[in-house]
Amino acid sequence: MPFVGTQSPTGQLPSRVGPPQPLTPGGRANPSDPHAILPQPPPGKAAIGMSARFGAAEPLVPRGLVWRIFADQPETSGAYPLVAEAAEPAPVFFLSPGGYVVHVSYGLASVARRIVVGDDSRREQIIMSAGAVQLQSDVDDKPIPPEKISYDIFEGSFLQGRASSRPFYRGANSGDLIILPAGDYYVVSTYGDGNAVIQADIAVAAGKVTDATLHHRAAEVTLRLVQAKGGQPLPDTQWSVLSPGGDAIKESSGAVPSFVLAEGRYQAIARYDGKTYSKEFDVESGKDQPVEVTIGEQITAPASPQVDGGDGLEGSGDGDLGVSAEGSGD
């Protein structure tokens, strides 16, 4: 999808914000009309030249548009018949006189307009109020590998308490360029499968890209149950990771499970051969580490963490949130 540029996100204050950049090369609106001369239509039809702009004084949408023309009267089945379609930035449709509905989509943004075609050819231009978002995440200024991070995008504002409860776009990847209707959104960034989850508000402007980096404070932890320090991990171990308050953060089984955890203090519970072992440990942002629980660290009363809804539940966040936005070229 064709986007370049940046727009300021709003989580906490961004650490760096570049000036908004346009989506079209050169950064200038192109006032020229792509249909200065329309082709001669077949007999009994009119030539309708279609195009779209990001705003009345904004550039033309250069590519990525999908156009569909429907009759404005339904068939007996109730469906509106598709008359024509195109995937060009500025198509010309040859239409018979009558009423039509023009639908144009651009990523997740779309506009519909009813037009009436007569005998004369003419031009139609639609305002497509759409922008895009491109997301990245890091830990201690080191990019998080794309395969370890995912994003859900919601309409509204998390900080102002007016957020939608259902994602507008689910499962975005780092670096994806996602076209959205212009407006306010908030992003939930999930690092790994533990409790490293943060939120940030972003603003998507028409014809601009929101290029945002979300800063996690988390690290990857590998658990091992050993007979003695530095020993081989014991197989078939059942694991639970608890918060200081005793809430279950994550559960797993195996010799060396790995979790991404938000910065903080935790307790590892290992169950092996009918016995339970425990160890407290700290997670520091960006410092991946192994956590060894030794057989000597046995709990006299085995812990039985309760997990809401029967699942290993991730925590709600991973500490302070920072967001930065940087401009990008075309």
Side-chain angles (χ1 to χ4, degrees), residues 33-38 47-50 121-125:
D33 193 319
H35 301 300
I37 300 176
L38 289 170
I48 307 299
M50 303 297 304
S121 297
R122 71 174 192 269
R123 299 179 294 272
E124 289 279 347
Q125 198 163 86

Side-chain angles (χ1 to χ4, degrees), residues 187-209:
V187 176
V188 176
S189 175
T190 302
Y191 174 25
D193 59 356
N195 66 337
V197 181
I198 58 176
Q199 299 86 16
D201 280 12
I202 58 174
V204 175
K208 304 294 189 298
V209 163

Side-chain angles (χ1 to χ4, degrees), residues 47-73:
I48 307 299
M50 303 297 304
S51 61
R53 290 185 182 276
F54 291 113
E58 296 294 329
L60 291 165
V61 180
R63 55 196 177 273
L65 295 170
V66 177
W67 300 85
R68 293 182 176 89
I69 310 294
F70 298 88
D72 67 347
Q73 296 298 320

Side-chain angles (χ1 to χ4, degrees), residues 235-311:
D236 303 322
T237 303
Q238 301 296 316
W239 291 95
S240 296
V241 177
L242 309 182
S243 71
D247 297 324
I249 301 298
K250 196 69 182 176
E251 294 187 337
S252 185
S253 61
V256 284
S258 293
F259 309 124
V260 176
L261 298 174
E263 193 173 52
R265 167 153 287 201
Y266 298 91
Q267 183 180 35
I269 305 292
R271 298 175 183 82
Y272 177 76
D273 196 23
K275 297 180 181 179
T276 302
Y277 309 90
S278 171
K279 182 176 182 177
E280 290 190 348
F281 64 96
D282 293 316
V283 173
E284 295 183 45
S285 180
K287 297 183 179 180
D288 299 343
Q289 61 172 319
V291 173
E292 287 191 344
V293 181
T294 64
I295 290 296
E297 296 171 299
Q298 182 173 348
I299 299 176
T300 55
S304 298
Q306 299 296 319
V307 183
D308 293 340
D311 296 325

Side-chain angles (χ1 to χ4, degrees), residues 6-132:
T6 185
Q7 179 73 10
S8 168
T10 56
Q12 288 183 342
L13 289 178
S15 60
R16 185 168 64 225
V17 179
Q21 299 293 326
L23 295 175
T24 54
R28 294 184 298 274
N30 180 7
S32 64
D33 193 319
H35 301 300
I37 300 176
L38 289 170
Q40 183 68 29
K45 294 182 180 292
I48 307 299
M50 303 297 304
S51 61
R53 290 185 182 276
F54 291 113
E58 296 294 329
L60 291 165
V61 180
R63 55 196 177 273
L65 295 170
V66 177
W67 300 85
R68 293 182 176 89
I69 310 294
F70 298 88
D72 67 347
Q73 296 298 320
E75 298 175 325
T76 55
S77 64
Y80 289 81
L82 177 65
V83 175
E85 59 184 334
E88 304 167 20
V92 176
F93 297 101
F94 299 116
L95 303 174
S96 302
Y100 299 90
V101 174
V102 179
H103 181 275
V104 56
S105 61
Y106 188 42
L108 297 177
S110 63
V111 175
R113 176 194 291 179
R114 183 179 182 274
I115 63 172
V116 177
V117 176
D119 296 328
D120 296 329
S121 297
R122 71 174 192 269
R123 299 179 294 272
E124 289 279 347
Q125 198 163 86
I126 288 177
I127 300 300
M128 176 62 69
S129 184

Side-chain angles (χ1 to χ4, degrees), residues 14-16 136-145 191 198 213-218 284-287 320-326:
S15 60
R16 185 168 64 225
Q136 307 284 343
S137 291
D138 65 22
V139 171
D140 287 353
D141 295 326
K142 296 178 181 179
I144 298 172
Y191 174 25
I198 58 176
T213 299
L214 286 78
H215 305 307
H216 280 266
R217 299 191 61 80
E284 295 183 45
S285 180
K287 297 183 179 180
D320 294 336
L321 165 64
V323 180
S324 69
E326 300 178 4

